Amino acid sequence: MDLPEPGRSRLPELLALNKMTARQLSNRIGCTEAHISQVISGRSYLSYVLAWRASRVLNCTMEELHES
């Protein structure tokens, strides 16, 4: 079964709401700042584990990381 691709990343607004930079998020979830940049630009996606970690850090659900 193929899963649908997630919509546009909401990371920029979630980072702003949490007064956090992409670098701070990347350090807290264990990935590179470049990867976060690629996710924001739509060239890459967060793995399930990184999405779970990001949702915990950003105080949201995993579904809220992207528009549907």
Side-chain angles (χ1 to χ4, degrees):
M1 174 172 104
D2 290 331
L3 296 174
E5 302 259 334
R8 181 187 68 84
S9 173
R10 292 188 60 230
L11 283 179
E13 66 187 88
L14 292 168
L15 287 169
L17 284 172
N18 287 277
K19 297 179 176 140
M20 185 178 292
T21 66
R23 175 175 284 173
Q24 290 169 323
L25 177 64
S26 67
N27 288 336
R28 297 212 29 209
I29 69 172
C31 70
T32 65
E33 185 178 0
H35 183 60
I36 297 297
S37 177
Q38 290 175 339
V39 171
I40 290 171
S41 68
R43 293 188 312 263
S44 186
Y45 300 106
L46 292 174
S47 68
Y48 186 86
V49 171
L50 290 178
W52 180 81
R53 289 177 185 167
S55 70
R56 295 299 209 191
V57 170
L58 297 170
N59 302 307
C60 65
T61 65
M62 288 172 56
E63 293 80 12
E64 290 172 322
L65 293 173
H66 288 89
E67 289 181 346
S68 44

